[in-house]
């Protein structure tokens, strides 16, 4: 879970409004994406093709729920960084970038996330 101490936020001079966005990010439900960011078959069908998941399998040796959850947490850290240091170009790791791109494929959900967290569309 995304946790940044108050002491760290104070040290970084993080504004009250950004702290609110960080709290919203911490609680934002990304399960619709994370639960399908695996090579496991689901009753409702696979959301991503084997070709899309292959880089995760290649990188980690598998693409299961634990790995997907860990990548989600790293994505949250990346987003937190963009909130804490806006205006600075941030480059996510390969798996986080892939998660982000899969998120973008869910256009409506991504638009809602961008509005809630960044205040508008974000493509860095």
């Amino acid at each position: 879970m995304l946790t940044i101490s108050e002491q760290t936020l104070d040290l970084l001079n993080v504004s009250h409004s950004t702290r609110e966005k960080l709290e919203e990010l911490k609680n934002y439900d990304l399960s619709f994406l994370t639960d399908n960011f695996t090579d496991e078959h689901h009753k409702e069908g696979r959301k991503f093709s084997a070709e899309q998941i292959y880089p995760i399998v290649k990188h980690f040796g598998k693409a299961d729920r634990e790995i997907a959850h860990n990548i989600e947490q790293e994505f949250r850290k990346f987003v937190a960084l963009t909130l804490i240091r806006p205006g600075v170009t941030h480059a996510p790791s390969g798996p986080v970038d892939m998660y982000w791109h899969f998120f973008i494929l869910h256009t409506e959900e991504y638009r809602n996330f961008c509005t809630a967290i960044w205040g508008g569309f974000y493509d860095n």
Side-chain angles (χ1 to χ4, degrees):
M1 185 58 92
L2 177 66
T3 305
I4 305 170
S5 72
E6 289 297 319
Q7 183 180 14
T8 299
L9 293 173
D10 289 343
L11 183 66
L12 296 171
N13 294 320
V14 175
S15 71
H16 177 73
S17 62
T18 298
R19 290 174 195 229
E20 288 177 342
K21 292 295 181 185
L22 289 168
E23 188 63 27
E24 198 166 343
L25 171 63
K26 177 179 165 184
N27 297 316
Y28 202 94
D29 182 11
L30 294 171
S31 63
F32 73 92
L33 183 64
T34 303
D35 289 348
N36 293 295
F37 197 63
T38 72
D39 61 358
E40 300 167 352
H41 294 278
H42 301 284
K43 291 181 221 171
E44 68 277 2
R46 184 181 293 180
K47 300 291 185 188
F48 301 111
S49 71
E51 293 82 15
Q52 290 172 309
I53 295 298
Y54 176 76
I56 297 300
V57 174
K58 180 77 172 149
H59 188 81
F60 294 103
K62 60 183 178 177
D64 62 13
R65 289 180 189 267
E66 180 183 356
I67 289 170
H69 177 74
N70 289 338
I71 294 171
E72 175 191 318
Q73 295 310 310
E74 292 303 312
F75 173 76
R76 289 178 190 275
K77 291 174 186 177
F78 166 74
V79 173
L81 184 60
T82 68
L83 291 169
I84 293 170
R85 291 291 179 240
V88 175
T89 302
H90 304 283
S93 67
V96 171
D97 191 50
M98 187 177 303
Y99 185 93
W100 187 9
H101 282 91
F102 283 174
F103 195 178
I104 291 169
L105 294 175
H106 293 77
T107 308
E108 184 176 342
E109 291 90 346
Y110 185 67
R111 184 181 308 118
N112 293 339
F113 178 83
C114 286
T115 300
I117 303 302
W118 288 302
F121 185 76
Y122 185 88
D123 66 358
N124 194 356

